[in-house]
Amino acid sequence: MRTLVFDGRTGAAGDMICAALIAAGADPAVLDPVRDALPVRYAVGETEKNGIRATTVDVLVDGDDAGDADSDRGHDHDHSHDHEQDHDHEHSHDHDRSHGHDHSHDHDHGHHHETDATRDETHAEGAGVHRSYREVVALVESMGLPDSVESTALDAFELLGRAEASVHGTDLDETHFHEVGADDAIADVVGAALLLADLDPERVVTTPVAAGGGTVEMSHGTYPVPAPATTEIASRADFRVVGGPLDRELLTPTGAAILGAVAEGVDAVPNLAVERAGYGAGAADFERHPNVLRALVGDGGRAESETDRGRTVGGGLVRDDIAVLETNLDDAAPEVLGGLQETLERAGARDVTIVPTTMKKSRPGHLVKVICKPADAEAVAERLARETGTLGVRQSGASHRWIAEREFETATLRVDGADHEVTVKVASTTDGEVYDVSGEYDEAAAVAGATGLPIREVLRRAEAAVRERLADE
């Protein structure tokens, strides 16, 4: 499976995503529909970040003769707007806007002012009409884009629009974009959708994305990073955000919206036969952290179901990223222990084990061990504490487990002229080799009760039927 992986350890921004996609093999020529629809052009160049050669993408006002000079300078300013990190410049513009509530998007395009006056003359930052959500949708729909590209771009803008509407308590149709409704922001979102379609991966994933830290100054006051709109988008997206590694704003609303529209969240880079790696540069330079977004393209990483999320293929079994929680109990009532399996599963637990043990002063007690996904660990730990009254829950060092691929088959048994169904679990390795077939006990018990057959005979017949069917395939 051809998979694209974004590795956002120092954040993400709209232009950085475009640059990373080009560096990973996408053809910049596919950006022509944006150039045809808007008075802008893309300047693609290279720079170096902490010893890493990275691609830059800058959106310039069409026909500006100074654009080539920008390209020659390597775009260290590149409107990695986002990245960045010149909040004193970017957010100061919010005070002059009639719709200051849109500030949370402004940092996507407000970080180039640290250069000089000529930069404002050449860069498309904030250029063009500032549009409402509906106007942006109409513009995108007028570009004549392929259906998949149009859908991706509109999904990203809907995330942006709903985030703004939620933060400010407005209706989606009434939402007005400022910086992200300007020409260069539209060029970033639609450009990323076009470049992604050119790469044509079967699956797109992203590791947890660094949001940064500290605070940002906006027209309504000082806010913690990530900004309100970025936080709202992240709550609607599939990927996770993490704080740091710097007290700077590293993830912008535009970057979050693009990733939210196209990527599944994974806990780590999956096992991948890497064909190409590309780096999209941000504007700022950090002492110890290369300010780049990495994109990896290669074969590996099967598509995952909701319950499989976070797994990666490896060896004969599947790697499943997990957290293991533990607590010791010396005064839990039997009724509480008996109900833990159900209550903790509702909070996200995948497995609950309760082991009798001897505690201090030779008192009898119980060790409760819970397996869950890392993203669910906090919620499961809180529920465990509330249910049992424990004063602490440990998270052990285990980071993953190796599990079988699991499928479920239905075996139909005919007994005395009547058909009865039993679900059978089929366990296999990642290459499809079946090594265990096991009938579901509760269903077999129900069939046994209805037919008078022993439960073990029902299980034997159901498992044999499935084995025979698999052998014929």
Side-chain angles (χ1 to χ4, degrees):
M1 173 176 291
R2 184 173 170 81
T3 299
L4 167 66
V5 181
F6 288 109
D7 187 7
R9 301 186 194 196
T10 49
D15 61 330
M16 296 176 72
I17 293 173
C18 290
L21 291 171
I22 292 173
D27 185 357
V30 302
L31 298 171
D32 285 346
V34 179
R35 290 188 285 255
D36 294 341
L38 296 172
V40 300
R41 59 191 174 88
Y42 296 89
V44 179
E46 288 188 354
T47 189
E48 185 176 294
K49 295 292 183 180
N50 298 65
I52 296 177
R53 185 178 67 178
T55 298
T56 61
V57 171
D58 215 354
V59 180
L60 306 177
V61 176
D62 194 24
D64 195 314
D65 293 335
D68 293 335
D70 287 334
S71 181
D72 292 340
R73 282 198 291 267
H75 299 324
D76 280 348
H77 62 283
D78 98 318
H79 71 343
S80 97
H81 10 277
D82 332 15
H83 250 188
E84 326 210 356
Q85 292 154 335
D86 240 341
H87 303 295
D88 292 339
H89 295 290
E90 61 133 308
H91 293 297
S92 64
H93 287 239
D94 292 329
H95 299 285
D96 299 329
R97 296 191 179 101
S98 59
H99 296 279
H101 66 271
D102 211 35
H103 56 257
S104 58
H105 292 312
D106 300 337
H107 54 266
D108 271 347
H109 297 272
H111 295 286
H112 306 285
H113 305 294
E114 78 279 336
T115 53
D116 51 35
T118 57
R119 181 57 38 72
D120 293 329
E121 295 171 1
T122 63
H123 192 272
E125 181 178 299
V129 179
H130 291 174
R131 303 170 177 88
S132 69
Y133 169 73
R134 283 298 169 194
E135 289 170 334
V136 170
V137 170
L139 175 60
V140 173
E141 290 177 340
S142 73
M143 290 183 177
L145 302 168
D147 289 345
S148 62
V149 174
E150 179 180 295
S151 177
T152 296
L154 292 180
D155 285 349
F157 277 115
E158 183 176 352
L159 280 172
L160 286 164
R162 291 194 181 281
E164 278 297 299
S166 177
V167 169
H168 301 293
T170 60
D171 184 81
L172 178 62
D173 289 338
E174 298 173 356
T175 298
H176 284 266
F177 294 140
H178 296 281
E179 293 296 333
V180 296
D183 290 346
D184 60 332
I186 293 174
D188 278 347
V189 173
V190 179
L194 287 162
L195 293 165
L196 180 64
D198 185 60
L199 277 181
D200 193 28
E202 296 174 76
R203 183 181 177 215
V204 182
V205 302
T206 180
T207 64
V209 184
T215 60
V216 292
E217 296 295 329
M218 300 181 182
S219 59
H220 296 296
T222 301
Y223 288 85
V225 170
T230 304
T231 303
E232 185 64 29
I233 292 168
S235 73
R236 298 168 183 267
D238 186 64
F239 64 87
R240 294 192 293 129
V241 297
V242 294
L246 301 163
D247 279 343
R248 308 288 287 271
E249 186 176 34
L250 301 180
L251 175 62
T252 66
T254 298
I258 294 171
L259 292 178
V262 305
E264 302 172 29
V266 294
D267 293 324
V269 175
N271 289 356
L272 200 69
V274 177
E275 298 171 6
R276 186 151 183 175
Y279 298 83
D285 292 311
F286 305 137
E287 182 178 354
R288 298 183 60 83
H289 299 275
N291 187 13
V292 296
L293 172 66
R294 181 168 66 167
L296 305 173
V297 178
D299 288 330
R302 66 181 177 86
E304 295 163 348
S305 68
E306 185 69 21
T307 57
D308 290 334
R309 195 63 49 79
R311 296 179 181 177
T312 54
V313 176
L317 297 177
V318 176
R319 173 173 168 147
D320 186 27
D321 294 324
I322 60 166
V324 178
L325 307 177
E326 297 180 347
T327 190
N328 288 7
L329 305 174
D330 62 2
D331 58 355
E335 295 82 2
V336 170
L337 295 174
L340 278 182
Q341 183 81 39
E342 182 178 352
T343 56
L344 295 181
E345 281 183 355
R346 287 201 297 266
R350 302 301 178 90
D351 191 28
V352 179
T353 302
I354 302 174
V355 182
T357 188
T358 301
M359 303 180 64
K360 62 184 178 181
K361 299 182 180 179
S362 299
R363 291 196 298 243
H366 294 86
L367 170 64
V368 180
K369 296 174 70 76
V370 184
I371 295 175
C372 62
K373 299 299 291 181
D376 297 326
E378 184 176 355
V380 173
E382 180 181 355
R383 175 50 56 189
L384 178 58
R386 289 182 179 276
E387 292 293 334
T388 65
T390 183
L391 300 181
V393 177
R394 302 180 298 277
Q395 183 164 335
S396 72
S399 63
H400 62 272
R401 60 181 176 176
W402 296 101
I403 61 177
E405 296 273 21
R406 281 168 280 187
E407 295 182 356
F408 294 88
E409 301 279 347
T410 299
T412 301
L413 307 183
R414 192 164 186 81
V415 182
D416 295 332
D419 289 338
H420 304 272
E421 293 185 343
V422 176
T423 300
V424 178
K425 183 187 301 180
V426 179
S428 63
T429 60
T430 55
D431 59 6
E433 181 183 352
V434 174
Y435 68 85
D436 186 66
V437 174
S438 178
E440 292 293 325
Y441 181 87
D442 289 345
E443 294 183 17
V447 173
T451 63
L453 291 173
I455 295 175
R456 66 177 184 173
E457 177 62 16
V458 174
L459 288 171
R460 186 193 67 77
R461 293 187 187 186
E463 292 165 2
V466 170
R467 287 185 185 277
E468 183 176 351
R469 184 191 309 164
L470 294 173
D472 292 338
E473 292 180 352

